């Protein structure tokens, strides 16, 4: 397998960059040849691409890989560089693919349902190389960013794999991506793009899974406007990759912030088991659980188990937490409990501003700490 585009030299060299992109395209043409028309119609092409894109890549690219490559450089700086590099390759690939696009590709998409199961029309194969290139690029970029921020992802775990896919392709809200794309292109073609997003040309995409449909929509824009095909393909490839990279940076940097908080709380805690009860009491104060709070609690439990050899089965099986039980546990602890109060303050703020119910819990904690 050739190098991923963003594994190429960091020094900008137009000829070298183009060579990397062309090599990637040649590799992906071989991948597309192995697909059937049914793979594309069903969306199974994306399942196969994901496996092909990440299997050997994750064995090579890990924390040590980046430490050796960018020794002493802060993660934020490396992430920024790799996002820009990925966007550059995406733009180059867009220019190469757009030259092969024509209205015939759109027409062929509509007739894909009549293709033989084992046959992929040449026009569709042209489009699929472009789709596969950008999809693999953005998937690997998101993974790189997670590794750089030391956010653990186990891609054999369906939840972690789906999270990577959602982050890589900004799937949380297709409308966000759609509006971003519309704003990125010249004003004169915006009405045309909106028509292509909602028009009958997407009929062929109805049978695809969410991810496949989304990726097909994004590429049909480039195919369907031949007058501005090459410039638009370059702009869209570059912009969507920048958008995906910045989204991945925001998500995984925030995850890293929460994990770092969990590490610091566990490291400093003199009452690790009580810390878990207090943290959960604060999190459940308003009867809602934010994603950041869930992530924090998950890593707190893990770190307390690893660093303090504490496993609390009672807490693990708890449905409703009773504040009286937490107060009883606090009363049973001798000595200074200031570390517990610090935990409460930090847990309450992990997902933003501290609300009234969290403040009430913290106030009660403070009073009890003083009495102790």
């Amino acid at each position: 397998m050739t190098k991923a585009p963003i594994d190429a030299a960091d020094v900008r060299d137009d000829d070298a960059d183009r060579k990397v992109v062309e090599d990637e395209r040649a590799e992906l043409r071989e991948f597309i040849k192995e697909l059937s028309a049914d793979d594309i119609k069903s969306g199974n092409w994306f399942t196969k691409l994901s496996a092909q894109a990440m299997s050997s890549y994750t064995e090579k690219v890990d924390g040590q890989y980046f430490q050796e490559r960018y020794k002493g450089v802060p993660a934020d700086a490396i992430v920024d560089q790799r996002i820009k590099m990925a966007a550059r390759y995406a733009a180059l690939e867009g220019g190469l693919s757009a030259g092969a696009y024509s209205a015939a590709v759109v027409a062929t998409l509509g007739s894909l349902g009549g293709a033989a199961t084992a046959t992929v029309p040449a026009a569709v194969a042209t489009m699929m190389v472009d789709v596969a290139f950008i999809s693999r690029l953005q998937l690997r970029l998101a993974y790189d960013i997670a590794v750089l921020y030391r956010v653990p992802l186990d891609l054999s775990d369906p939840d972690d794999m789906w999270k990577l896919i959602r982050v890589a392709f900004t799937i949380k809200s297709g409308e966000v991506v759609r509006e971003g794309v519309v704003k990125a292109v010249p004003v004169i073609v915006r009405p045309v793009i909106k028509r292509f997003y909602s028009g009958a040309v997407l009929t062929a995409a109805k049978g695809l899974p969410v991810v496949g449909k989304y990726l097909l929509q994004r590429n049909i824009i480039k195919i369907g406007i031949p007058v501005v095909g090459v410039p638009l393909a370059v702009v869209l490839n570059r912009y969507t990759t920048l958008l995906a990279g910045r989204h991945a940076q925001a998500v995984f940097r925030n995850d890293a912030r929460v994990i770092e908080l969990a590490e610091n709380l566990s490291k400093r805690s003199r009452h690790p088991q009580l810390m878990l009860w207090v943290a959960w009491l604060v999190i459940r104060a308003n009867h809602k659980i934010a994603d950041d709070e869930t992530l924090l609690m998950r890593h707190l439990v893990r770190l307390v188990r690893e660093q303090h050899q504490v496993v609390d089965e009672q807490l693990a099986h708890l449905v409703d937490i009773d504040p009286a039980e937490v107060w009883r546990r606090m009363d049973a602890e001798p000595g200074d409990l200031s570390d517990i109060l610090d935990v409460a303050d930090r847990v309450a703020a992990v997902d933003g501003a501290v609300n009234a119910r969290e403040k009430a819990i913290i106030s009660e904690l403070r009073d009890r700490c003083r009495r102790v």
Side-chain angles (χ1 to χ4, degrees):
M1 179 175 291
T2 58
K3 291 181 178 180
I6 49 177
D7 275 344
D10 294 322
V11 178
R12 290 184 55 169
D13 181 319
D14 288 345
D15 292 337
D17 289 349
R18 186 174 292 272
K19 175 68 165 57
V20 170
V21 171
E22 288 174 344
D23 288 348
E24 285 285 314
R25 282 167 51 81
E27 179 187 335
L28 286 168
R29 273 193 290 271
E30 295 303 312
F31 167 75
I32 300 300
K33 285 180 183 178
E34 300 298 319
L35 297 178
S36 66
D38 188 61
D39 285 330
I40 296 174
K41 286 187 292 181
S42 67
N44 193 44
W45 67 270
F46 183 73
T47 304
K48 292 183 176 182
L49 178 72
S50 300
Q52 186 255 27
M54 304 308 297
S55 56
S56 61
Y57 190 76
T58 54
E59 295 175 4
K60 171 188 173 184
V61 177
D62 54 17
Q64 184 178 353
Y65 170 86
F66 286 117
Q67 287 171 12
E68 293 172 356
R69 189 174 177 83
Y70 302 97
K71 190 172 183 178
V73 181
D76 283 343
I78 305 172
V79 168
D80 185 70
Q81 185 179 47
R82 292 184 80 78
I83 291 172
K84 290 175 181 176
M85 180 64 69
R88 176 170 169 75
Y89 282 118
L92 284 170
E93 195 282 333
L96 292 172
S97 284
Y101 279 152
S102 69
V105 179
V106 177
T108 307
L109 274 177
S111 62
L112 186 59
T117 303
T119 303
V120 177
V124 175
T126 298
M127 178 201 70
M128 289 305 300
V129 170
D130 185 25
V131 175
F133 182 98
I134 298 301
S135 300
R136 186 166 76 170
L137 178 69
Q138 293 180 0
L139 200 59
R140 287 176 171 176
L141 176 61
Y143 177 79
D144 288 350
I145 292 171
V147 171
L148 282 162
Y149 284 124
R150 297 182 298 113
V151 175
L153 287 179
D154 177 6
L155 299 191
S156 64
D157 182 327
D159 288 340
D160 280 4
M161 186 63 192
W162 180 235
K163 178 173 183 175
L164 180 66
I165 290 171
R166 289 200 321 269
V167 171
F169 305 117
T170 57
I171 285 175
K172 184 176 181 181
S173 173
E175 289 300 310
V176 171
V177 177
R178 167 183 161 173
E179 293 305 318
V181 170
V182 170
K183 292 174 183 177
V185 298
V187 174
I188 193 170
V189 298
R190 288 180 191 173
V192 186
I193 289 175
K194 288 182 177 180
R195 177 172 62 82
F196 271 89
Y197 261 117
S198 57
V201 74
L202 290 179
T203 300
K206 288 182 179 178
L208 299 182
V210 173
V211 176
K213 182 178 180 179
Y214 161 68
L215 296 174
L216 181 59
Q217 284 179 328
R218 189 170 68 184
N219 278 269
I220 281 181
I221 291 176
K222 294 182 291 188
I223 302 167
I225 313 175
V227 176
V228 288
V230 174
L232 186 60
V234 170
V235 168
L236 287 181
N237 274 15
R238 180 180 180 279
Y239 182 79
T240 55
T241 301
L242 279 174
L243 190 70
R246 297 303 180 203
H247 177 65
Q249 182 178 28
V251 171
F252 289 127
R253 194 180 193 281
N254 181 67
D255 284 359
R257 173 188 68 86
V258 175
I259 293 170
E260 185 177 79
L261 173 60
E263 290 171 345
N264 290 335
L265 292 178
S266 176
K267 188 186 304 179
R268 294 198 298 260
S269 179
R270 298 187 298 275
H271 309 86
Q273 188 167 16
L274 179 59
M275 175 183 70
L276 295 179
W277 282 83
V278 168
W280 189 236
L281 178 65
V282 172
I283 288 171
R284 296 296 291 148
N286 62 349
H287 309 296
K288 296 179 181 179
I289 308 175
D291 289 345
D292 286 347
E293 292 174 327
T294 300
L295 182 66
L296 176 63
M297 196 65 193
R298 180 159 64 89
H299 285 282
L300 271 179
V301 170
R302 173 183 63 82
L303 289 162
V304 166
R305 180 179 66 249
E306 294 173 358
Q307 296 175 358
H308 303 280
Q309 291 72 53
V310 171
V311 178
D312 195 319
E313 293 293 343
Q314 185 179 348
L315 181 63
H317 292 100
L318 202 64
V319 176
D320 289 323
I321 187 166
D322 183 358
E325 174 63 16
V326 180
W327 309 146
R328 184 189 67 75
R329 288 171 176 269
M330 288 186 65
D331 292 342
E333 291 285 350
D336 181 15
L337 294 180
S338 58
D339 60 315
I340 292 300
L341 187 57
D342 180 59
V343 166
D345 286 332
R346 291 175 178 272
V347 169
V350 72
D351 62 332
V354 181
N355 60 54
R357 290 183 177 178
E358 290 169 338
K359 288 178 180 177
I361 291 290
I362 293 172
S363 177
E364 179 69 18
L365 280 167
R366 182 173 289 109
D367 290 344
R368 290 178 177 274
C369 286
R370 285 172 180 164
R371 287 201 294 272
V372 171

